[in-house]
Amino acid sequence: MKLVDKFTIWFIVITSIVLVAGGMIVFSRVQHEVDQEAIRRIKSHIDNIAIQLKQGRSPAELTSEYVSISEIDPSIPEIDIEVYDTMAVYRSMYESRVQPLDRKLTVESSYHIGNKHYKVSMYDFVAEPDEIADGVKESLGWIFLILLAIVGVTNLLISRRILYPFHQTLKAIQNFSLRKEKEINL
């Protein structure tokens, strides 16, 4: 096996390890960002509902399939934010059949409005970890294949050019013989 091929194999092994570790980091960061953005969006919507309640709209007007508003004991302190991450059946309004379990993110907050205390809860379906992992794996797979092709081609071209003097020296050493009275030319 050529020395250059050994370097290439080691490079591929190290690159694979780095890509796998990088993939796990990317996955966890993307999952975290997706969750935080969904929570922020839902919380913003809940805060808007609270503003509408303060403006005098009734809870019944603001309640929907995704939003529930309940009156709770006014002596309980306000809940800034509570998040529940569960799996639930998703019913599409476009399809009559029930979808498989999806990841459901529920956010709750409570507000003292006048002499009442309302707990507002809203949920949304978000990307599941396996969906994000599939995207990360596919992206890293393409990156690895592109990197492999680039490394293979550049390795072939560059090694020929850079190692040309080395190979010429090896040829000269191999062809050298003490029996011949010819001087070695390195």
Side-chain angles (χ1 to χ4, degrees):
M1 182 180 283
K2 292 181 181 177
L3 183 62
V4 174
D5 294 338
K6 287 182 182 180
F7 280 123
T8 303
I9 290 170
W10 273 103
F11 178 79
I12 290 170
V13 168
I14 292 168
T15 301
S16 299
I17 292 168
V18 170
L19 279 175
V20 168
M24 291 189 298
I25 292 167
V26 167
F27 166 76
S28 66
R29 290 303 308 152
V30 168
Q31 181 70 52
H32 176 75
E33 290 301 319
V34 166
D35 290 350
Q36 291 306 308
E37 181 58 27
I39 291 167
R40 186 204 59 75
R41 185 175 31 80
I42 295 170
K43 175 67 169 140
S44 174
H45 194 71
I46 288 173
D47 289 342
N48 286 334
I49 290 171
I51 290 168
Q52 291 178 36
L53 287 169
K54 287 178 185 173
Q55 292 172 346
R57 291 194 60 191
S58 75
E61 291 178 68
L62 301 171
T63 301
S64 69
E65 180 184 349
Y66 295 98
V67 177
S68 68
I69 303 170
S70 57
E71 222 176 295
I72 59 175
D73 185 0
S75 64
I76 297 173
E78 280 190 1
I79 301 167
D80 180 40
I81 188 169
E82 287 183 357
V83 179
Y84 304 99
D85 189 351
T86 58
M87 297 300 282
V89 174
Y90 172 67
R91 289 186 185 274
S92 172
M93 55 195 229
Y94 304 108
E95 298 177 26
S96 59
R97 66 182 178 85
V98 174
Q99 301 294 321
L101 285 177
D102 278 334
R103 188 163 169 246
K104 179 181 169 183
L105 204 59
T106 305
V107 178
E108 291 182 347
S109 291
S110 70
Y111 306 88
H112 282 105
I113 299 172
N115 59 354
K116 295 183 178 182
H117 190 185
Y118 294 103
K119 180 167 80 171
V120 182
S121 176
M122 181 178 177
Y123 70 88
D124 198 3
F125 292 96
V126 294
E128 294 179 37
D130 63 330
E131 294 166 345
I132 293 172
D134 289 344
V136 169
K137 281 189 252 179
E138 185 177 330
S139 299
L140 289 178
W142 280 108
I143 290 170
F144 184 73
L145 290 175
I146 292 168
L147 189 61
L148 197 60
I150 290 171
V151 166
V153 170
T154 56
N155 179 34
L156 190 66
L157 297 175
I158 292 174
S159 67
R160 282 185 184 164
R161 183 179 174 121
I162 290 175
L163 296 176
Y164 180 76
F166 177 71
H167 288 296
Q168 291 303 101
T169 303
L170 282 178
K171 262 188 201 174
I173 291 171
Q174 287 172 343
N175 293 333
F176 177 72
S177 173
L178 288 174
R179 292 187 186 153
K180 296 179 187 173
E181 301 229 350
K182 192 175 176 187
E183 194 176 292
I184 189 168
N185 187 9
L186 301 177

